[in-house]
Amino acid sequence: MAAHGTDPFTETDDQQALRALAREVAERDLAPMARHWDETEEFPQASWDAIRKADLFGITIGERWGGMGMGDVEAAIVLEELGRACVSSAILAQLTFNGPPRAFEHLGSDALRDRWLPMAASGEALFCIGISETEAGSAVNHMRARLTSDGDGFRLDAYKNYVTGGHKARACLVWCRFPGSVGTKGIGAVVVDLASDGVTLAGTHEKMGLRGTSEAELAFDDVRIEPSDVLLEGDPSSSDAFKTLIGHINHERCGNAAMCLGAAQGSLEYAIRYMNERTIGDRPLAELQGLQWKIADVATELEGARLLLKRAVHLAGPHGTPPPLETAMAKTAANLAAKRVCDEAIQLLGGYGFSREYPVERVYRDIRGLCIGAGTVEVQRNFIGTNLLRGAVPSGDAWKRPIL
Ligand SMILES: Cc1cc2nc3c(=O)[nH]c(=O)nc-3n(C[C@H](O)[C@H](O)[C@H](O)COP(=O)(O)OP(=O)(O)OC[C@H]3O[C@@H](n4cnc5c(N)ncnc54)[C@H](O)[C@@H]3O)c2cc1C
C-alpha cells in the first residue's frame, strides 16, 4: 500500500480508502454511542471492538508485527474521522498510533518490540504513557520518578498523574530518572507491565469532558524493572535521552491536532445543518448575514489549522517524526480553532446548543482537554516564540526570502 501522497494536499487512492473506512466505522459504530460514553463514563468497549474489527489499530505498526507500516499522514486521517464522531473513542486509536507502541518501534529494542507490538497491532491491548506528575506537568524536568539499581536491573518508584487509559492499559511507558539523574540529564523511559507487583491504580479523575476515557493516577512502589524493559536509558551526564523522548511526543501532538480538527468539523457541520433548518419567523438562520460571517470565520480558521497539520505530518515522511516547530504550530492552531468553532457552534444553536441533548455541547467539553494534553497551548507558544526569535524558520519558501 502506498504510504504517501506526492504533496500534502492530495490524498492517494489508498489514503482516501482509509478515510472512507474510518468514516464508516465512526458513523456506524462510534457516533450513536458517543453520548452514552459521555453520560455514563463507561469505557467505550464497543468503540474499541469496532476499531479492532476494522483492523484500524495496526495502521502505524510495522508489518513484521502484524501492522500496516503507515505513517503520521494516515494516523491523522483516521483520528480526524474518529474524532468527528466521538473523541473519547478516537483517543483509543491515538494511544495506539501515537503513544507507547510508536515509541517501542522507533526507539526500543527488538525484545520490546516483539513482546508488545503484536498486541498493539491486533488491538489485543491498550498502552498508556506516564509522564506527568502532580508537581511536574509542563515542568516535566521536575519529575521525581526514579530508578535505583537492583542487580542487573532497576527498581522503580513513581507516582504518575493524568495517565490516559491507565485504568485499562496492559502496560505503561514511564518516563523516569536513572541513577544519578539531575535536571534533564539522566531522564529516560521504561516499560512497565501493569500487572507487576507494586503497581496500584490510585484513582481516576472526575472530568468535564473526554469522559469515556479515564485519566488515572498510577503508583509504582519498588517495581522491578528488567534490563529488557528499558526503552531508553538515561545517562546522568547527558540530556540526549530526554530530548529524544520530548521530540517523539510530536507524534502525539499531531494526533491531538487531528482529533481536534475532526471534532470541530463535526460541530461545524452540525451547526450548518441546523442553520439551514431552523427558522426565525419565516427565515432560516442561514440567511442572516451576521451568522454567515461566523461560519465563514470559523471555517477559515479550521481550514488554516488543517493545512498546518497536513504540512507537519507530511514532513514526517512515512517512517519519521513530525518536526517540532511545524508540529507546535499545527497543535496550537488546531486547539485554538477547535475552541472557537465549538464555542460558536453552541452559540449558533442558541438554547439547544447549551443542552446535553445536542452533541455540540459534548464536543466543546471534549476538545477542552485536548488543549491541555500533549503540551498545553501556552507551552507550544513558548516553543514557537523562542525558536522563531532564535532564528528558526518553519519549512516553506516564505521565510527564506531576504527581508525587504
Ligand atoms: C485530557 C488530558 C489527557 C492527558 N493525558 C496524559 C497522559 O496520558 N500522560 C501524561 O503523562 N499526562 C497526561 N496529561 C497531563 C498533561 O500533559 C498536563 O496536564 C499538562 O502537561 C499540563 O501540566 P499541569 O496540568 O501540571 O499544568 P501546569 O504545568 O501546572 O500549568 C498550569 C497552567 O500554566 C501554564 N504554564 C505552565 N508553564 C508555563 C510557562 N512556562 N509559560 C506559560 N504558561 C505556562 C500552562 O499552560 C497551564 O495553563 C493529560 C492531560 C489532560 C487534560
Side-chain angles (χ1 to χ4, degrees):
M1 187 179 269
H4 232 238
T6 50
D7 65 67
F9 307 111
T10 318
E11 286 178 4
T12 62
D13 290 347
D14 287 344
Q15 288 165 351
Q16 286 176 26
L18 183 67
R19 185 180 286 283
L21 172 63
R23 182 167 292 205
E24 187 185 319
V25 171
E27 291 185 350
R28 185 190 57 220
D29 301 311
L30 272 50
M33 294 295 286
R35 184 173 176 210
H36 176 83
W37 309 129
D38 178 58
E39 295 278 341
T40 62
E41 297 192 71
E42 284 171 20
F43 180 80
Q45 187 62 47
S47 301
W48 177 276
D49 295 342
I51 297 168
R52 187 177 185 187
K53 194 165 163 216
D55 257 340
L56 285 171
F57 276 122
I59 63 163
T60 57
I61 294 169
E63 292 176 29
R64 185 175 142 196
W65 299 281
M68 293 178 212
M70 297 180 195
D72 292 82
V73 173
E74 289 79 8
I77 287 172
V78 173
L79 290 171
E80 199 180 345
E81 292 299 331
L82 301 183
R84 182 169 161 265
C86 176
V87 189
S88 279
S89 302
I91 282 177
L92 304 175
Q94 158 82 338
L95 282 168
T96 304
F97 297 171
N98 295 318
R102 192 77 83 96
F104 302 161
E105 187 163 350
H106 283 181
L107 310 175
S109 63
D110 277 344
L112 272 183
R113 295 177 183 142
D114 293 345
R115 178 171 181 198
W116 298 116
L117 289 179
M119 280 186 217
S122 66
E124 186 188 330
L126 179 67
F127 296 84
C128 61
I129 184 158
I131 306 170
S132 306
E133 299 177 4
T134 39
E135 304 291 327
S138 305
V140 62
N141 51 320
H142 286 225
M143 74 171 59
R144 290 188 180 164
R146 63 174 56 251
L147 299 172
T148 45
S149 297
D150 180 36
D152 60 343
F154 302 95
R155 293 267 161 190
L156 172 67
D157 284 287
Y159 193 90
K160 292 294 180 182
N161 188 21
Y162 252 97
V163 181
T164 302
H167 63 316
K168 285 280 178 186
R170 172 68 205 271
C172 183
L173 177 62
V174 180
W175 291 22
C176 54
R177 297 185 177 282
F178 280 69
S181 160
V182 178
T184 56
K185 291 182 178 168
I187 292 178
V190 298
V191 186
V192 182
D193 186 329
L194 292 179
S196 305
D197 287 344
V199 179
T200 322
L201 172 63
T204 54
H205 288 279
E206 292 175 6
K207 302 173 297 165
M208 75 181 274
L210 300 173
R211 286 155 57 93
T213 38
S214 285
E215 268 69 38
E217 296 192 30
L218 295 179
F220 302 87
D221 186 12
D222 200 31
V223 177
R224 168 73 188 174
I225 303 295
E226 299 298 335
S228 59
D229 296 328
V230 174
L231 177 87
L232 206 55
E233 181 147 3
D235 169 355
S237 67
S238 153
S239 300
D240 285 356
F242 178 69
K243 287 182 188 155
T244 301
L245 291 169
I246 289 279
H248 208 259
I249 292 291
N250 288 334
H251 293 288
E252 186 184 334
R253 295 198 170 114
C254 285
N256 171 300
M259 291 188 291
C260 263
L261 294 175
Q265 180 72 31
S267 278
L268 177 59
E269 289 169 8
Y270 197 94
I272 288 175
R273 260 200 325 276
Y274 185 87
M275 286 171 65
N276 280 304
E277 286 164 11
R278 169 82 168 171
T279 50
I280 300 291
D282 55 358
R283 292 177 77 192
L285 288 179
E287 284 184 11
L288 303 176
Q289 191 180 52
L291 303 190
Q292 292 167 355
W293 284 14
K294 279 184 192 275
I295 293 293
D297 288 350
V298 298
T300 303
E301 277 182 39
L302 194 61
E303 285 298 299
R306 186 171 276 127
L307 290 176
L308 285 173
L309 178 63
K310 278 180 189 274
R311 176 175 73 173
V313 290
H314 193 79
L315 286 169
H319 305 295
T321 297
L325 183 56
E326 291 80 356
T327 298
M329 287 180 166
K331 183 182 189 282
T332 303
N335 288 173
L336 296 180
K339 263 167 92 172
R340 176 97 190 280
V341 172
C342 294
D343 182 40
E344 288 294 8
I346 290 175
Q347 196 71 18
L348 288 165
L349 264 70
Y352 294 113
F354 191 60
S355 162
R356 293 218 311 273
E357 290 153 47
Y358 286 74
V360 293
E361 177 272 343
R362 182 190 70 249
V363 178
Y364 180 76
R365 289 186 284 107
D366 284 348
I367 61 95
R368 210 55 202 76
L370 297 180
C371 301
I372 298 167
T376 65
V377 169
E378 291 76 20
V379 166
Q380 305 309 307
R381 281 171 161 155
N382 284 351
F383 182 82
I384 297 165
T386 50
N387 278 281
L388 292 179
L389 288 162
R390 281 183 201 142
V393 292
S395 101
D397 293 330
W399 285 70
K400 290 179 191 142
R401 282 189 215 124
I403 294 171
L404 297 176

